[in-house]
Amino acid sequence: PAQWRWLARWLAECSPDRYRRNRARMQRIARLGRDALRELRATTGIDDSVRRGYLMLFRSEAEVELNEPGRAMLDEQGIGYRLLDAAATRALEPALSRDAPLAGGLHLPDDESADCQRFCQLLAERAVARGVEFRHGVEIVAIRRDGNRVRGLIHARRRLAEPNTIDVDSVVICAGNGSVALLSKLGIRVPIYPVKGYSATIDAGPRTASAAGAAPRLPSMAVMDEAYKTALTPLGSRLRVAGTAEFGGPKLKLRESALATLRRVADDWFGPGIDFSKARYWVGARPMTPDGPPLLGRTAIDGLLINIGHGSTGWTMSCGCARVVAALASGDDPEIDLDGLTLARLSAAGR
C-alpha cells in the first residue's frame, strides 16, 4: 500500500509544469551545494580527486529530441551546456568505443564528479579534529520530547547497565529511509519511499602480462547513458557504473538482471576490455520524495529539524542542505529561499 500511495503521488507530478517547478527547486539547493562544496574543499584541503565536466550520451536521435525540455530548463536556469553531434562527442571523450551506438551528447562543463566515500571519510577526520564526536553503532529508536520540545534521543541499549537516552538541545533527522519511522512516532508523516539502485566498481588499472586483452580506457569525466539512466564515473584507476530505479520493498538483494544492465551499458560505451570478474557490486535504497526535492528545515516541534528525501542526488545537494539546516539550527536566516523545500510543501499539496 505504501508503494502504491507513493506512485500515485509521483504520477501526479508527471506534467511539464510540475516538472519545471520541481527541477527549479532542486536546482536552487544544488547550486548552493556546489558553491558550499567548493568552499569546503578549499578551507579543509580535502582532495577527493574532483573531475570537471559531465557528458550525457544519446543512443538515438529520438533521445536527443526527448531531452529538449531538459535543455530548455538549463537555458532558463542559466546553466551552460553544449549539444554535440556524434563526431564532436567522440572528440571530447575519445575513450568511447568506436562501436558505441552514439547519436550525440550533451556536455555540461561546469558539473563535477568525485569520490563521495573518500570525501566523507576525509571530512569526518577533519570534523573529529575540530571536536565533533561520532557515536558509531548506536541505534536511535525514538526521539524523546517534553511537551513540544525535543529533549533527547532514545537508543537501543548495548549493555543493560547503561542509560538508554542521550540528552540533546536539538536534533536533525537525516537518517535516509529510516527517517520515516522516527518521524511517524512524532506524528509527522513524510512521503518518502526507498527506490533501489545498483552499482558495480571495477578496477580498470593495468592488467598483468598473463591477462587477455588491454586495460580499458577510462573516460576523462563522468558520463551518463540517457537511455538506461546509468552513470559511469572514473574514480582514480577505478570505474563505477551506477544506475537503475527499482521498486519492490525495503529488502536489499543483488538482482542479476539489474547487474547485467550495468555490465551491458559499460560494455556498450567502453568495449569488451572491461573485466567484471572481480567487480564489487552494491545495492542501496535511495530515500525519494514523489516530486523530487528534499524536505528541509524546522518542524512544528521545537528543536527538531529535518534533512531528508534527497533521492539519487544526495551528494549534489548535501553541502547546500547542510548549510541551510545549520543556519536554521543556529537561529540564522538561510542563504536561499526555502519555498517548496520544507514540510509546508506537503500541506500546500493537500498531503
Side-chain angles (χ1 to χ4, degrees):
Q3 176 180 316
W4 287 109
R5 286 194 297 270
W6 190 94
L7 285 169
R9 293 176 175 179
W10 176 79
L11 286 169
E13 300 295 330
C14 294
S15 70
D17 288 343
R18 293 195 178 191
Y19 168 79
R20 290 158 61 89
R21 179 197 63 187
N22 293 329
R23 295 297 295 184
R25 290 169 174 173
M26 295 172 72
Q27 185 62 38
R28 200 186 319 146
I29 194 70
R31 279 188 167 178
L32 176 61
R34 176 198 61 191
D35 295 343
L37 178 57
R38 289 175 177 174
E39 180 183 324
L40 195 58
R41 285 194 183 108
T43 57
T44 62
I46 288 177
D47 177 14
D48 53 0
S49 304
V50 64
R51 297 195 187 212
R52 296 293 297 272
Y54 192 79
L55 181 62
M56 296 173 61
L57 302 172
F58 304 116
R59 292 172 176 261
S60 67
E61 291 297 333
E63 290 179 21
V64 178
E65 184 177 346
L66 284 171
N67 180 253
E68 186 174 350
R71 298 195 297 275
M73 278 288 297
L74 295 177
D75 289 330
E76 292 175 11
Q77 294 291 327
I79 299 171
Y81 68 90
R82 292 188 298 155
L83 182 61
L84 309 173
D85 61 18
T89 302
R90 293 187 190 280
L92 178 66
E93 186 47 83
L96 292 173
S97 169
R98 305 304 301 179
D99 298 325
L102 179 64
L106 186 72
H107 180 221
L108 296 134
D110 294 328
D111 277 23
E112 297 177 347
S113 63
D115 188 334
C116 59
Q117 181 183 27
R118 174 175 169 78
F119 174 83
C120 289
Q121 290 170 338
L122 294 173
L123 183 61
E125 292 176 3
R126 285 156 175 77
V128 169
R130 297 189 182 194
V132 173
E133 179 187 358
F134 291 92
R135 299 191 186 183
H136 298 288
V138 177
E139 179 189 0
I140 304 300
V141 295
I143 310 298
R144 182 173 64 85
R145 62 175 176 170
D146 181 5
N148 200 48
R149 177 77 197 182
V150 166
R151 294 300 182 189
L153 304 175
I154 302 173
H155 65 86
R157 284 191 180 98
R158 289 176 292 181
R159 294 177 296 274
L160 291 177
E162 70 179 359
N164 70 333
T165 60
I166 302 171
D167 293 334
V168 299
D169 296 314
S170 61
V171 61
V172 179
I173 301 292
C174 50
N177 292 303
S179 304
V180 176
L182 287 171
L183 290 169
S184 67
K185 293 177 181 179
L186 298 170
I188 301 173
R189 309 291 180 183
V190 290
I192 291 175
Y193 191 80
V195 180
K196 285 177 279 191
Y198 296 79
S199 76
T201 304
I202 305 105
D203 184 357
R207 298 195 179 187
T208 63
S210 60
R217 297 174 65 186
L218 291 177
S220 60
M221 67 188 83
V223 302
M224 166 69 80
D225 184 309
E226 184 64 7
Y228 289 93
K229 296 295 187 291
T230 297
L232 302 99
T233 306
L235 302 173
S237 64
R238 298 169 294 150
L239 179 68
R240 177 158 296 154
V241 188
T244 74
E246 179 182 300
F247 294 88
K251 186 176 181 180
L252 297 178
K253 182 179 179 181
L254 291 172
R255 192 167 57 84
E256 177 54 33
S257 60
L259 304 181
T261 297
L262 301 182
R263 292 192 290 266
R264 173 186 171 179
V265 170
D267 185 69
D268 282 350
W269 294 113
F270 298 104
I274 296 179
D275 181 9
F276 278 92
S277 64
K278 296 182 180 180
R280 295 180 297 282
Y281 293 109
W282 174 90
V283 58
R286 311 178 187 102
M288 299 193 73
T289 59
D291 51 1
L295 292 164
L296 306 174
R298 300 187 181 99
T299 69
I301 300 173
D302 292 341
L304 180 69
L305 299 97
I306 58 171
N307 183 7
I308 58 177
H310 303 83
S312 60
T313 53
W315 196 23
T316 302
M317 301 181 181
S318 60
C319 289
C321 291
R323 286 277 280 266
V324 166
V325 173
L328 293 172
S330 302
D332 299 327
D333 293 328
E335 299 171 58
I336 62 171
D337 181 5
L338 295 186
D339 179 53
L341 295 171
T342 69
L343 286 173
R345 153 170 128 239
L346 304 182
S347 300
R351 299 170 187 167

